[in-house]
Amino acid sequence: MPGPREAWSTGDRALAAGKLMLAWVALLWLLEVVDVATGHALDRFGITPREPSELTDVVPSAFVHFGFAHLMSNTLPLLVLGFLAALSGLRRFLLVCALIVLVDGLGVWLISPAHTNTAGASGLIFGLFGFLLVTGFVERRPWGILAGVLIAAIWGGSILSGLAPTQTAISWQGHLLGLLAGVAAAFVFRRRVTPDSVEGSWSPR
């Protein structure tokens, strides 16, 4: 029995995931409005590699963008992939995102070229792609495997192009690190198959 934590229906989970991702994206757009209004003052929260003081920007850098075009290119994939990942539980989703952002940010700080400034949600997007791609296989869930295959078919080309070292205008290092962090998160936060999960009974988390 679910007890005091009542089970969520599929509709409840979808509504919660949708609200969370809409709020997340709205925050990113609000921050970019503030950035433009202040003469791009928030750009300083990007990561400059191997500067000790820049370690405090590892998390904020995932919420800052270099202009509306940059933010617009990240909005749709973040909404879609974030929504799909959040369907499995909000608490697990936030933990997955935290791991991806931290690993990606620290990796960028360590290995990105000197004198660069890296920011944006693309590392998280690549991480969510990696998480969704493999989590069904890790947990041996047929629907998760099918979702991973479909996501690979739809987004795989864009993901591969974003990993090309020849593209100097983007942080392919951040993309690669985010992808690897997402795959790792699928193992770290994997769920056990239980009778409740098979029957579709979910508790809020």
Side-chain angles (χ1 to χ4, degrees), residues 5-90:
R5 299 173 66 190
E6 295 184 3
W8 278 15
S9 68
T10 301
D12 292 331
R13 288 184 279 120
L15 182 61
K19 287 181 176 179
L20 174 61
M21 292 317 302
L22 287 173
W24 194 312
V25 169
L27 173 62
L28 298 186
W29 279 86
L30 176 61
L31 289 174
E32 190 55 33
V33 169
V34 172
D35 186 41
V36 172
T38 57
H40 299 286
L42 299 186
D43 288 358
R44 66 185 180 86
F45 289 103
I47 301 171
T48 300
R50 294 171 293 284
E51 293 286 341
S53 62
E54 292 292 301
L55 287 171
T56 58
D57 294 332
V58 163
V59 173
S61 65
F63 295 85
V64 176
H65 290 80
F66 300 132
F68 287 110
H70 182 203
L71 175 55
M72 191 173 299
S73 68
N74 282 337
T75 294
L76 182 60
L78 180 60
L79 267 176
V80 175
L81 297 178
F83 172 76
L84 293 175
L87 286 175
S88 65
L90 298 188

Side-chain angles (χ1 to χ4, degrees), residues 19-203:
K19 287 181 176 179
L20 174 61
M21 292 317 302
L22 287 173
W24 194 312
V25 169
L27 173 62
L28 298 186
W29 279 86
L30 176 61
L31 289 174
E32 190 55 33
V33 169
V34 172
D35 186 41
V36 172
T38 57
H40 299 286
L42 299 186
D43 288 358
R44 66 185 180 86
F45 289 103
I47 301 171
T48 300
R50 294 171 293 284
E51 293 286 341
S53 62
E54 292 292 301
L55 287 171
T56 58
D57 294 332
V58 163
V59 173
S61 65
F63 295 85
V64 176
H65 290 80
F66 300 132
F68 287 110
H70 182 203
L71 175 55
M72 191 173 299
S73 68
N74 282 337
T75 294
L76 182 60
L78 180 60
L79 267 176
V80 175
L81 297 178
F83 172 76
L84 293 175
L87 286 175
S88 65
L90 298 188
R91 184 173 66 181
R92 184 169 84 143
F93 170 71
L94 292 175
L95 289 171
V96 167
C97 289
L99 178 63
I100 293 170
V101 168
L102 285 172
V103 171
D104 184 55
L106 289 171
V108 166
W109 184 84
L110 281 171
I111 70 171
S112 284
H115 312 299
T116 57
N117 188 21
T118 303
S122 58
L124 176 59
I125 291 167
F126 276 68
L128 291 174
F129 174 87
F131 174 78
L132 291 168
L133 184 66
V134 304
T135 191
F137 294 94
V138 171
E139 297 175 357
R140 299 180 180 179
R141 295 174 183 268
W143 285 110
I145 293 172
L146 177 60
V149 171
L150 291 175
I151 289 168
I154 296 171
W155 300 97
S158 298
I159 293 297
L160 288 175
S161 66
L163 298 175
T166 55
Q167 296 198 41
T168 57
I170 62 173
S171 175
W172 65 268
Q173 298 94 340
H175 293 173
L176 177 60
L177 290 164
L179 179 65
L180 295 176
V183 171
F187 288 90
V188 173
F189 299 112
R190 66 184 179 274
R191 290 194 314 256
R192 291 182 302 168
V193 177
T194 65
D196 282 346
S197 65
V198 171
E199 295 170 6
S201 177
W202 296 73
S203 296

